[in-house]
Amino acid sequence: MNGRTWTSRSVLVPAALGVVCAGVGLTAWASGSADATIGATTVTTLDAPKLPSGAASPQPADAGLTTSSLDSGVGLSGGGVARGWVSDASARTGISAVALTAYANAALRIGDEQPGCRLGWTTLAGIGWVETHHGTLGGNALLPDGTTRTPILGPALDGSAGLKALRARADDTAAHGNATWDHAVGPLQFIGSTWRRWGADGDGDGVSDRHDIDDAAYAAARYLCADGNDLTTGSGWTAAVRSYNHSDAYVASVLAATNDYGARAGG
């Protein structure tokens, strides 16, 4: 998605990767709206999260992945993801075929590259749900090419309350349009510095694009497996997911979604 033209549009704001928002659930982003200016273009963003007074975070110290999550393997055909499996699993889980294929392909690929990681597609799906509802948050839609109808951006990381201050580089500006501050971008909400290290071409189109769920899912798989954890263990899974977002509430939300998808797909 090089050469993106930024026009006036609604920009969704989910729970952003790399944002300091411990204990804030996804719904905390949905309180009010404010206009922001990116260059000469006005876009609409939602307010940054506010931690509820006295809120306590869950403590998933040793995440309990259910057997169904661990056993929900990808259906294969000719070494790739079987279309019949995608269709069946999509119907069972409610995840679009585009998103499900991205998660399954990423899990298979990282399984070949780092077999000791043992990352399941259900974990990627759990993260995808918590971050942006698989690219559909706020009425958005995931397109057949893996990008979203409307770019999904987190708030400007300008150091305001609860947010890191991260200056945008040229490639960041190309991804989100802000020449000054970085934003988390895309269905899995990558910030620029993380994408520069872990971003990759997940669908073989020759482009590494944070807005593309195929690329983002593979990048997330690489990131989650970076520390050599076995993600079929509670401690390994928790450490990997917490590295994605340093919040116990976030880990608990991803765990719940992961187990739910495993139960649905295995049912």
Side-chain angles (χ1 to χ4, degrees):
M1 299 228 354
N2 294 330
R4 174 184 294 274
T5 300
W6 292 95
T7 56
S8 231
R9 62 182 71 194
S10 173
V11 179
L12 305 175
V13 184
L17 169 66
V19 175
V20 181
C21 55
V24 178
L26 188 64
T27 55
W29 291 96
S31 57
S33 63
D35 287 337
T37 301
I38 295 180
T41 302
T42 299
V43 298
T44 301
T45 61
L46 301 182
D47 291 339
K50 295 177 176 61
L51 187 64
S53 177
S57 298
Q59 300 295 322
D62 192 18
L65 286 175
T66 61
T67 300
S68 58
S69 294
L70 299 175
D71 290 346
S72 295
V74 175
L76 301 178
S77 176
V81 180
R83 290 184 180 180
W85 177 86
V86 171
S87 178
D88 180 66
S90 177
R92 289 175 179 270
T93 61
I95 303 171
S96 73
V98 174
L100 191 59
T101 299
Y103 301 144
N105 278 329
L108 290 176
R109 185 170 176 181
I110 204 68
D112 288 339
E113 295 170 354
Q114 300 185 51
C117 180
R118 302 171 74 187
L119 170 66
W121 69 267
T122 51
T123 295
L124 294 171
I127 290 173
W129 168 258
V130 172
E131 291 291 351
T132 67
H133 290 193
H134 316 297
T136 67
L137 187 67
N140 210 330
L142 198 61
L143 303 178
D145 67 355
T147 61
T148 52
R149 182 176 59 203
T150 300
I152 303 179
L153 306 182
L157 300 178
D158 57 5
S160 56
L163 301 175
K164 290 182 178 179
L166 297 176
R167 291 282 182 178
R169 292 184 12 176
D171 55 332
D172 299 327
T173 300
H176 51 60
N178 190 331
T180 304
W181 301 106
D182 199 11
H183 296 246
V185 169
L188 294 182
Q189 288 292 279
F190 278 95
I191 58 174
S193 58
T194 308
W195 189 256
R196 279 185 284 277
R197 182 171 182 183
W198 302 108
D201 178 9
D203 52 12
D205 64 357
V207 178
S208 174
D209 184 359
R210 289 190 260 172
H211 292 279
D212 186 335
I213 198 167
D214 297 298
D215 297 350
Y218 177 48
R222 296 180 68 217
Y223 186 93
L224 291 166
C225 291
D227 291 332
N229 292 307
D230 179 351
L231 270 64
T232 62
T233 68
S235 59
W237 188 94
T238 300
V241 176
R242 186 178 282 117
S243 74
Y244 204 92
N245 188 309
H246 308 306
S247 160
D248 284 331
Y250 180 88
V251 175
S253 295
V254 172
L255 176 64
T258 297
N259 281 336
D260 182 62
Y261 287 135
R264 292 191 198 186

